[in-house]
Structures are given as structure tokens and as C-alpha cells.
Amino acid sequence: MQKTDIRGLYLITDGSRGEALCQRVEAALRGGVRVLQYRAKDLPEQEMYAEACQLRALCRSAGALFLINDSPELALACDADGVHLGQQDRPVAAARALLGPGKIIGTSNRTVAQAQASEAAGADYLAVGSMYPTATKGDAVHVGLDTLRAVREAVALPLVAIGGLDRDRTGEVLAAGADAVAVISAVLADPSPALAAAEIALQFNVRQPWPRGRVLTVAGSDSGGGAGIQADLKTVTLLGSYGMSVITALTAQNTCGVRAIHGVPADFVAQQLDAVLEDLAPEVVKTGMLHNAEMVRLVARRLAACGRLLVVDPVMVAKGGAALLQRDAVQACREELLPHCYLLTPNLPEAEILTGLPVRNEEDMARAALRLQEMGVRHVLMKGGHLEGEAVDLLRDGRGWQRFPAARISGRNTHGTGCTFSAAIAALLAQGRPLPAAVATAKQFITTAIERAVDLGAGHGPVNHFAAARQLGRMLQHPPG
């Protein structure tokens, strides 16, 4: 990587030590960290050197930059990519004399004048902050977004926003001109550093050209075209992302029902997964029909270590009543798939099967969502299409609750709503929208798709993906649809 590659998710170590730090950093790198800054002020010199070498090796393997906090000497000794200097550390010129022209030097800045002085002194990038109040550094001065915008206008160097940042604040600093977002506890203090890193790192996709974001769907084929792989790929493509597929089962079905199911052999599903993951680097993976326990276990194990956001639509029963998930697969879902799940999108009957709880109203939905989080799911979107009255969806995202109501739309053309809704969320996540915004926009999409559905076939017809994408494209003013 080059000096100009100070961009994306920038992680600063938090003072923890040893094997636990290396494990969490390795997970965060899988999730999308592009720059690591090693900070270990109180560690003896030899231990600091040994740990720095371990972390440097992890960064090299992941293709990420490795920087040392404050010490050009340590950066030189462990062959780091560069050093980050505070305002009270040695001047940029002194660090450059020691490190030479090929290493990266960054500085911390709170004002436009400091940023301009650092640029003039030969710094390669500038950190600006603290953007928000932060518990990580008690003496940090809160400078805010206006200062970041002013620095962006005044200098040409890459800018790293730092201080109090997390998933929900990343979009603001990117809009204000940041090239990178520095975090500490938002990733390293999270029980899943890989997922915490991924949900921040993906937000940098908002600057990518269309098609934006890569989505893999692992699901069954619907010969009628309204659900499954076909609905997923329509949705992903019409919303402006690049779609890939792994087919787990073939179905013979139309709008009147499922006539037959032919499971794809597990070893061939594994070959499909390996082929896509090794070459096309999907950023979000969405699962639908997994059919049997062997398939559930295979998919869970293959996806557990890849660091991608996993959106699970626990497809169990078709509209006409045909079972799409065998009984022995339910326990496999609970034990092996849910603990790796970034977002689970069950409807009420599916939530009942997975939790063993009755789910009849919003209070039941909330109770079931909490139970699912206890089972290892990071975020849960309870879909309320089976409620009486409003079609209310309830999101439990680890920070609290969000309610997404919509008027109930009467009609028979609702085939593929679950597949389409979860695929839309997956595409919007891949495009760089944080989870609450992705769910809200996907809710608009599926509501319009149901409203604009046209009669096809004699049974439960499909929703109108094309009309929904056109309507959403006009609202959001982007090319897809």
C-alpha cells in the first residue's frame, strides 16, 4: 500500500496486551480494518517490540498499513509502515530524518492552523479530532464536524477523523470530508471485532461507483421466479449492487405452490461457496432456503471465518405451506448458524420455531428478539407481516429498538416478500448504509413492491421488484432502477 492509502477504517490499539490483543486485531482486520496504529505506552521496550512485530505480520497478511504511535525508533526497528505523532511529540522533520522518505508520517491536529503547519512540514496524513466526546481519552478536546470541514477545505492530505466515532457517526464524518475513520473501543471492546469492523468499513462504499457493493445470496432456486435466488438477484441488481449466487436446492414451483424439491449435494454447494469467496470477495452474504441440517452446518462453517456481514432469512415454509427446511435443520440453525449471524430476519412463525416462544403481538416480538440475541444473533429484525392491523417490523440492533410500521396492503401477490426484503437490506448494507438506514429504506422498497404488484399466475403472485426500484431510485436520486 502507498502513502495515499490512508483511507477506510483506521484502528488504534487500546492498551490491552498479548494474545487477546492479537486475536482481536486479527478479527478486526478480517472485518475490513485498513490501517492499524499500535499504541502501548506502558509496556517494557522488548515486549513492545515483540508485540509490534506480531501485529505488523498480521497487517502484512491482511494487506493493511501498520503504524506506530509516537516512536519513530520503534517504527524503524520493527519495519512498520510509519509513525503517528501528537502535537507534543518530536517534529515531523526529525521523524523524517530518522525514517527516510519511504515511511508514512501522520500528525494529530485540532485546528486548521495546526493542519496547515503539519502539511507544510511534510506530513503524509492528518488526524483531526476529537470529533465527539470520548471516554477513551479523557483530555481530548472536542472539535466537531465544522473543524473537519474547514481542515478539508484548507489542506490536500488524507484526513483521519478521530474521537467518539462508531457505526452511527461514520456517515457524518465521511460527508464532512474524512478519508478514514479512527476507532478504538467501537471495535476492540466489541464481543465480535470482525462484525464491528465490517459494519463501519462497509460505509466507505458510499464513494464507490455503481454497481456499489457485492452481495452473495445462498438460497434455493424458485422456478416461478418470485422468490429465492431469482428474487434475491433481481433485488440486488435493481438496487445497484453486484449479485452472486450459491444454489442450495432446486424447486419445481409456480404461484400455486411447490411441487417438488431437489437438494443440491453438499459437496457441490461447498464448491460453489469456495469459488465465489476465493475470487469475487462478497461483502455481505444473505442466506435463504438451506433445506437440511447438513447444508446449514456447511454454510455456517464456511462463512464463520470470512468476516462478512451475514444476513439470515430463516426460510422454513413456502406460501402454500410446503416445508422448505427439514426438522433436523432447525436445531442446526440454532446452534451453528445463529451465533455467526449479523442480522436475522424472521417472520412471526419462524421466530416461534426458533425460540419456542409464542409470538402474537409486538410485546411477543420484542421478547423473541431478545431471546434470539441470547442465542448469539447480533441484530434481529422481527417482521410483523402476520400481525393483525399494521405491518410493523421491530429492529433490535444492540443499541435499542426501532419500529418500522406500514399500512397493511390487501392482495394475493406477496410471494417472495421475505426474500426480497432481506436481499434489499443486504444490498443497502453493501452499498454503505448503516443498519437502521438500510432497514428503513428496504422497508420502503418492499412496501412499494407489494403495492405495485401485478397479477401473474393463479395463486400467490410475485411482488413488483422493478416498480419498487424505480420509485426508490427517484426518491434517493441515484442511477439504479
Side-chain angles (χ1 to χ4, degrees):
M1 298 180 72
Q2 304 298 316
K3 291 182 180 182
T4 54
D5 286 326
I6 299 291
R7 54 184 169 78
L9 182 57
Y10 182 123
L11 180 63
I12 303 172
T13 61
D14 60 357
S16 59
R17 298 286 176 261
E19 184 178 353
L21 174 62
C22 289
Q23 288 175 345
R24 287 186 295 144
V25 166
E26 185 175 20
L29 288 165
R30 287 200 310 272
V33 167
R34 307 306 304 147
V35 184
L36 178 68
Q37 180 181 322
Y38 176 54
R39 185 179 64 174
K41 292 180 180 291
D42 302 322
L43 201 64
E45 186 174 319
Q46 284 302 114
E47 292 182 38
M48 190 182 301
Y49 170 76
E51 191 168 72
C53 289
Q54 286 181 288
L55 294 173
R56 180 206 61 206
L58 292 176
C59 288
R60 294 285 194 274
S61 179
L65 291 171
F66 180 60
L67 308 176
I68 298 294
N69 188 68
D70 292 349
S71 174
E73 291 83 5
L74 179 57
L76 190 63
C78 73
D79 192 28
D81 295 297
V83 67
H84 184 85
L85 304 172
Q87 285 292 319
Q88 305 306 315
D89 297 324
R90 73 189 68 194
V92 171
R96 181 68 70 201
L98 179 63
L99 294 175
K103 297 294 185 181
I104 298 168
I105 299 176
T107 64
S108 297
N109 304 269
R110 295 195 300 269
T111 67
V112 171
Q114 287 177 349
Q116 289 175 320
S118 291
E119 184 177 44
D124 298 302
Y125 75 92
L126 308 172
V128 181
S130 176
M131 300 308 306
Y132 305 94
T134 174
T136 306
K137 195 170 183 181
D139 61 348
V141 177
H142 174 209
V143 302
L145 292 171
D146 287 342
T147 297
L148 179 62
R149 294 188 188 99
V151 172
R152 177 72 288 163
E153 290 292 323
V155 301
L157 295 178
L159 297 185
V160 181
I162 184 171
L165 290 162
D166 58 16
R167 179 197 73 189
D168 295 334
R169 288 170 166 169
T170 295
E172 295 178 339
V173 296
L174 293 183
D179 299 289
V181 170
V183 298
I184 303 173
S185 58
V187 169
L188 290 179
D190 194 281
S192 178
L195 292 183
E199 63 181 355
I200 297 173
L202 275 180
Q203 293 188 52
F204 288 86
N205 279 355
V206 298
R207 294 176 173 171
Q208 296 301 313
W210 301 99
R212 182 178 292 168
R214 302 181 299 277
V215 179
L216 168 63
T217 171
V218 183
S221 169
D222 174 2
S223 56
I229 287 285
Q230 287 82 356
D232 291 348
L233 290 178
K234 289 174 188 177
T235 300
V236 169
T237 301
L238 287 168
L239 287 178
S241 295
Y242 181 77
M244 296 153 271
S245 65
V246 167
I247 298 177
T248 60
L250 307 175
T251 67
Q253 65 175 295
N254 54 29
T255 65
C256 297
V258 178
R259 298 183 179 184
I261 299 173
H262 177 70
V264 176
D267 61 346
F268 187 69
V269 172
Q271 290 182 52
Q272 293 179 73
L273 275 168
D274 291 345
V276 174
L277 292 172
E278 289 169 9
D279 181 49
L280 292 166
E283 295 162 304
V284 178
V285 180
K286 180 255 176 182
T287 67
M289 177 185 178
L290 298 180
H291 190 46
N292 58 41
E294 182 182 20
M295 197 70 66
V296 170
R297 294 189 184 100
L298 167 68
V299 170
R301 291 167 186 172
R302 279 293 201 280
L303 297 179
C306 71
R308 300 340 190 249
L309 296 189
L310 177 58
V311 177
V312 174
D313 181 22
V315 176
M316 295 181 177
V317 179
K319 276 285 187 295
L324 300 179
L325 187 70
Q326 297 175 2
R327 288 184 185 178
D328 62 347
V330 175
Q331 191 61 25
C333 280
R334 294 190 189 108
E335 294 176 355
E336 299 202 40
L337 187 61
L338 297 191
H340 305 296
C341 178
Y342 174 76
L343 176 68
L344 184 72
T345 64
N347 59 30
L348 271 55
E350 291 162 349
E352 288 185 341
I353 292 170
L354 288 170
T355 64
L357 299 173
V359 186
R360 302 287 187 271
N361 52 46
E362 286 191 53
E363 291 76 15
D364 291 345
M365 291 167 68
R367 190 178 304 111
L370 292 173
R371 174 68 62 85
L372 289 164
Q373 285 190 313
E374 291 171 0
M375 295 163 69
V377 177
R378 186 175 180 87
H379 308 302
V380 182
L381 178 66
M382 299 291 299
K383 298 180 299 188
H386 290 79
L387 292 172
E388 297 293 330
E390 277 189 315
V392 176
D393 300 329
L394 195 62
L395 175 65
R396 172 70 181 179
D397 78 340
R399 289 169 167 82
W401 301 93
Q402 294 194 50
R403 189 174 182 270
F404 299 91
R408 184 167 300 281
I409 303 164
S410 61
R412 64 183 178 90
N413 299 320
T414 56
H415 182 52
T417 52
C419 303
T420 298
F421 191 14
S422 56
I425 295 170
L428 293 162
L429 288 169
Q431 291 171 13
R433 294 175 186 270
L435 179 60
V439 171
T441 304
K443 178 76 171 180
Q444 292 177 303
F445 177 82
I446 190 59
T447 300
T448 303
I450 297 170
E451 287 175 341
R452 303 287 182 87
V454 296
D455 287 335
L456 289 173
H460 292 288
V463 300
N464 193 333
H465 303 85
F466 179 73
R470 289 194 67 184
Q471 174 70 13
L472 192 61
R474 285 193 292 267
M475 292 171 56
L476 301 178
Q477 297 182 338
H478 67 58

